[in-house]
Amino acid sequence: MSYCVNCGVELENGVKSCPLCDVAVINPAEKDKIPTAPAYPQRLEIPKALNRRFIAFILSMVLIIPNIVVALVKLLFVESLPTPFIYCGSALCWVLFVLPLLFRKAKPFLIWFVDTVAVLAATWFIYYLVPDGGWFIPLALPIIFSFSFCVGLLMVLFGFYRDGPIRTIITLAVMSFFGIILDVAINRFVGGEKLLGVSLIVSACFVALMVFFTVVAKSRRFRAWVTRKFFV
Amino acid sequence: MAKKPVKLKEWYKLDNAAKIFPGQNRSNWSNIFRFGVELNEKIDSGILEEAVRITLKRFPCFDVRIRRGLFWYYLEKNPNPAPPVNPDVNNPCRRVKWSENGRFLFRVYFYENRISVEFYHALTDAYGAAHFAMTLVAVYLRLTGKQIPDGGMVLDINEKASAEELEDAFPRFVDKRYPAKAERQKKFVYHYRGTRLPDHHVNVTTGYIPVDKLKEKAKEYGVTVTEFLAAVMLFSIYRIALREGKTDREVSVQVPVNLRNMFNTKTLRNFSLCYSVRINPQKGEYTFTEVLHAVSHYLKYINTEKELRAMINGNLGLEKNLLARLMPLWLKNLGINIAFHITGEQSVSGMVSNVGILKCPEEMLPYVSRVMLMAGPGVINGSRCACVTWGNTLAVTLTNIYEQTDIQREFFTSLVKMKIPVKIESNRRNGHAETEG
């Protein structure tokens, strides 16, 4: 029999390293012995994963049905039915919710890029149908690009920072930034007197929260107090 | 011509403890545990299949499949004769899918000299599972020509299961004169977190300990074996929390208790409750003796009829609530799933479950070398421990879902330092957990 020189536990015959601490087991006395079968076989039984492509197929069929119904209603009864909006909405839903299921492995940045392009295309299509006011370039584009940028930035930063308070600070900062862009874009489009209004108030509140979470992140004692007072 | 009597399908409601388990079921996790019995000879799968078929007739509460009702899940007689007997795997206690395995909620494996049975917790607890596993082994040994009488946990297979064995015992012990309910522990506690293994993989380490040495040590401290092991686990997790500098949260260990010791019933279904013992690192640095006293005193305090009845009342409260009862099953499942996702194991750092000594006929002793009990891995808990004693050997099995073995190492080396010898077996090979590919 062998023992681990680090842990002091007795080990199975033939084991090459200790299962508790990975220290190598060298026992010359065991060289000539026939090793006993290990405690567990090597075979793993991994259940089959959910067939995401089958779910994607079912969801696609679910999305097709209202389009077929709407097309038939327009053809047979109500000629003025605004079907392009429904087709556009269904296509956008398909790209946002069904397309990710077709990938075998999660590809977040690819999905982010495709979703951005899909939203841009859908918005442009709606603008093509309803161009009144020329809203696409001054209003829709800045909002879509800034939102997409914020989502991408969150994805990148969350990959680096795993701490709860730090992630909260990042989220608040990004939301504040997006709020400002949204405010500026809307005020510029409607010809408002001031470019910044509500977003400043919201950002001020967010900054206060960011200061709070910075203190929580830096001070262990304060963090412990907050955890005790506000546990769920 | 006389009409044939209508044969109604046998069915059972889920017992009180089991009602939440189906709602917690996920594609990558189930509440499941395993009993492993090692014999002195290699297992014949054909004889084992026959033994399973014979034993199952004695346990109608295991011969079931789970079905959905409008308001609750229920168990119904399984039309299939018996579950298949399969070669063992390196990743025990993986998730249960109700449509697999002939729709049975327990799985039977064999490997070398070992018969293992995995039970979905909605069926039974460790006490009921022990009866099934030991009766199965006795039947197997009889089929190989050994003379094994009934007795202890080996039930008479020619006897019909009594109503008491099949009952949901929880409501029976409610006393309307004493409606007090125990409060649930909700505070989030410290959890050891390492590098997660891929889905359906698990890190299993079993330590075999001579019971006489362990009892001697426990007696030295004036505590029981369960209190001693729970204290060692709690102290191990506490020391790791100290090393990580994470002292802002309490550390706790959950200890399931067999209610049959306090309330007289022979039910083979779930009849156990869990209480958790906690220490607060904010109060100061604990020694092992202080932790042991905290565990021992708390377990002695809580393990009384009054406190246990209050816990039963608390658990039954939700089941008896009219609004909860009328809620459709899909809504209940959603609620349980969300609640489990958010709070699940958050109020418990680890678990120690000790079934105790398995009482079986002496004639079995020469043929059964070892028994092990394994709690399935937790969703976040890195330290679920289950113990069972056969002869002079206590098997302590720790399961976790992380690559690192800090808790196992801390636990077993603590015992070795107290001069308690431990022999280790694991499913890890050459220092790494087995992974697919």
Side-chain angles (χ1 to χ4, degrees):
Chain A
M1 64 185 78
S2 302
Y3 287 83
C4 173
V5 297
N6 191 25
C7 306
V9 294
E10 190 186 336
L11 300 167
E12 296 175 78
N13 286 342
V15 155
K16 293 199 170 78
S17 63
C18 172
L20 297 182
C21 64
D22 298 340
V23 159
V25 174
I26 303 161
N27 187 348
E30 285 221 322
K31 239 197 231 176
D32 302 322
K33 282 192 186 167
I34 302 164
T36 52
Y40 290 87
Q42 243 180 318
R43 185 178 82 96
L44 285 158
E45 191 155 316
I46 307 294
K48 280 186 200 161
L50 275 174
N51 193 342
R52 288 153 58 98
R53 290 189 174 189
F54 180 69
I55 296 171
F57 170 73
I58 298 288
L59 287 174
S60 301
M61 294 298 111
V62 165
L63 277 174
I64 283 174
I65 290 168
N67 288 280
I68 295 172
V69 166
V70 154
L72 286 172
V73 165
K74 184 177 171 113
L75 196 66
L76 299 171
F77 305 109
V78 184
E79 270 187 39
S80 59
L81 201 64
T83 48
F85 293 104
I86 293 162
Y87 300 150
C88 176
S90 300
L92 184 62
C93 283
W94 190 88
V95 171
L96 292 178
F97 301 114
V98 178
L99 184 64
L101 295 173
L102 298 176
F103 294 107
R104 281 195 199 279
K105 280 184 182 173
K107 290 178 182 175
F109 287 101
L110 178 61
I111 291 168
W112 165 74
F113 176 74
V114 168
D115 286 352
T116 305
V117 170
V119 167
L120 268 171
T123 315
W124 177 84
F125 185 68
I126 293 169
Y127 174 68
Y128 176 75
L129 297 171
V130 186
D132 311 333
W135 52 269
F136 184 68
I137 291 172
L139 187 64
L141 272 187
I143 292 173
I144 293 168
F145 277 127
S146 59
F147 184 76
S148 179
F149 172 76
C150 290
V151 167
L153 188 64
L154 278 176
M155 281 162 59
V156 166
L157 291 175
F158 274 26
F160 286 113
Y161 300 100
R162 295 198 174 269
D163 194 33
I166 306 277
R167 280 185 167 185
T168 310
I169 292 165
I170 291 168
T171 308
L172 289 168
V174 168
M175 280 169 65
S176 190
F177 170 73
F178 177 67
I180 288 169
I181 301 287
L182 194 69
D183 206 9
V184 166
I186 291 171
N187 283 323
R188 273 187 70 184
F189 182 70
V190 301
E193 275 180 24
K194 292 178 187 163
L195 279 182
L196 292 173
V198 172
S199 64
L200 274 182
I201 300 168
V202 171
S203 296
C205 300
F206 281 359
V207 165
L209 283 172
M210 280 160 63
V211 168
F212 173 77
F213 280 106
T214 308
V215 174
V216 168
K218 286 201 165 156
S219 165
R220 275 182 57 188
R221 227 184 215 186
F222 186 60
R223 191 169 180 163
W225 178 83
V226 168
T227 310
R228 284 197 304 274
K229 285 291 175 193
F230 297 104
F231 70 86
V232 174
Chain B
M1 199 156 60
K3 272 188 185 171
K4 275 188 190 166
V6 173
K7 199 175 178 187
L8 295 174
K9 238 178 199 172
E10 235 175 288
W11 71 281
Y12 311 97
K13 291 182 191 178
L14 287 178
D15 58 71
N16 174 254
K19 281 189 162 74
I20 54 164
F21 297 138
Q24 293 172 349
N25 221 38
R26 298 179 181 185
S27 60
N28 62 352
W29 183 83
S30 298
N31 201 334
I32 186 164
F33 60 94
R34 168 186 268 221
F35 246 101
V37 183
E38 208 168 290
L39 306 185
N40 290 330
E41 58 190 36
K42 213 156 174 166
I43 304 298
D44 182 323
S45 59
I47 299 176
L48 182 58
E49 272 176 18
E50 184 59 27
V52 172
R53 258 195 298 273
I54 295 169
T55 310
L56 200 50
K57 289 181 187 148
R58 176 64 181 81
F59 293 84
C61 52
F62 288 46
D63 186 9
V64 293
R65 58 181 175 174
I66 194 162
R67 304 301 299 269
R68 288 173 192 269
L70 189 56
F71 299 106
W72 297 104
Y73 286 99
Y74 63 95
L75 301 172
E76 184 184 78
K77 168 101 178 64
N78 196 321
N80 296 314
V85 165
N86 293 310
D88 205 354
V89 292
N90 191 275
N91 56 331
C93 293
R94 71 187 183 289
R95 71 102 179 93
V96 165
K97 199 171 178 188
W98 300 331
S99 56
E100 290 173 348
N101 193 46
R103 300 194 70 110
F104 284 94
L105 300 176
F106 68 96
R107 298 190 282 234
V108 183
Y109 294 102
F110 66 94
Y111 171 69
E112 299 290 325
N113 296 6
R114 190 173 64 221
I115 297 171
S116 300
V117 190
E118 291 180 356
F119 300 88
Y120 183 45
H121 220 321
L123 266 189
T124 185
D125 54 15
Y127 175 87
H131 278 73
F132 182 86
M134 299 319 288
T135 307
L136 171 65
V137 168
V139 170
Y140 175 87
L141 289 171
R142 286 173 198 155
L143 289 173
T144 59
K146 279 91 179 170
Q147 300 297 321
I148 309 289
D150 302 319
M153 289 189 166
V154 175
L155 302 182
D156 182 358
I157 51 160
N158 297 313
E159 206 180 58
K160 213 179 158 192
S162 64
E164 205 180 339
E165 284 177 3
L166 306 177
E167 69 167 346
D168 173 8
F170 287 100
R172 188 147 75 90
F173 296 101
V174 166
D175 190 337
K176 286 187 182 159
R177 296 173 299 169
Y178 310 116
K181 291 179 188 173
E183 268 187 37
R184 287 181 184 281
Q185 297 279 9
K186 288 179 196 166
K187 236 176 178 176
F188 284 17
V189 298
Y190 163 79
H191 285 90
Y192 170 78
R193 290 182 201 256
T195 314
R196 278 190 91 102
L197 290 168
D199 278 350
H200 313 296
H201 289 73
V202 68
N203 202 336
V204 184
T205 310
T206 305
Y208 293 98
I209 301 166
V211 166
D212 49 2
K213 295 264 191 242
L214 192 62
K215 277 186 177 166
E216 202 183 298
K217 191 48 98 177
K219 200 174 172 183
E220 221 177 273
Y221 285 106
V223 298
T224 64
V225 167
T226 304
E227 289 162 6
F228 181 79
L229 291 172
V232 173
M233 175 60 82
L234 185 55
F235 193 63
S236 302
I237 301 171
Y238 165 69
R239 281 169 62 88
I240 292 172
L242 279 185
R243 274 206 295 272
E244 291 179 355
K246 290 181 181 168
T247 53
D248 51 346
R249 288 189 176 184
E250 291 179 345
V251 181
S252 80
V253 142
Q254 189 178 58
V255 181
V257 70
N258 182 4
L259 293 172
R260 297 167 187 85
N261 296 333
M262 198 64 68
F263 303 100
N264 189 17
T265 175
K266 288 187 191 149
T267 185
L268 294 175
R269 300 173 68 195
N270 284 295
F271 194 50
S272 49
L273 283 175
C274 298
Y275 25 76
S276 60
V277 189
R278 25 185 78 205
I279 55 172
N280 188 348
Q282 297 278 305
K283 289 185 180 174
E285 210 162 305
Y286 284 85
T287 61
F288 175 68
T289 316
E290 286 171 338
V291 170
L292 186 57
H293 286 160
V295 169
S296 171
H297 290 141
Y298 185 75
L299 291 188
K300 283 180 171 66
Y301 156 70
I302 204 81
N303 206 5
T304 59
E305 197 180 310
K306 288 181 177 57
E307 295 299 329
L308 292 177
R309 184 176 286 114
M311 288 169 78
I312 292 175
N313 289 342
N315 282 2
L316 275 173
L318 200 59
E319 187 187 326
K320 297 293 175 201
N321 181 292
L322 190 63
L323 197 63
R325 285 162 73 183
L326 291 176
M327 215 184 281
L329 180 61
W330 65 268
L331 198 55
K332 277 193 194 79
N333 272 349
L334 190 64
I336 290 170
N337 218 308
I338 291 170
F340 188 65
H341 191 75
I342 297 171
T343 61
E345 297 166 352
Q346 294 284 5
S347 57
V348 165
S349 309
M351 184 197 78
V352 173
S353 172
N354 185 10
V355 169
I357 301 170
L358 293 186
K359 289 178 187 144
C360 291
E362 269 180 26
E363 286 84 345
M364 270 178 87
L365 283 171
Y367 304 113
V368 177
S369 57
R370 295 192 298 198
V371 177
M372 68 89 98
L373 171 63
M374 176 188 152
V379 178
I380 53 168
N381 268 334
S383 42
R384 282 163 69 97
C385 168
C387 317
V388 65
T389 304
W390 176 259
N392 190 41
T393 306
L394 172 81
V396 181
T397 305
L398 271 75
T399 340
N400 80 13
I401 36 143
Y402 301 115
E403 273 191 32
Q404 292 81 5
T405 53
D406 293 354
I407 291 178
Q408 291 98 310
R409 191 167 65 247
E410 194 67 43
F411 183 86
F412 288 118
T413 52
S414 301
L415 295 175
V416 168
K417 282 172 192 165
M418 291 189 229
K419 296 189 174 53
I420 300 168
V422 181
K423 181 177 178 182
I424 295 291
E425 276 180 8
S426 174
N427 68 337
R428 286 161 62 85
R429 273 176 189 271
N430 303 324
H432 298 284
E434 287 289 350
T435 51
E436 198 184 25

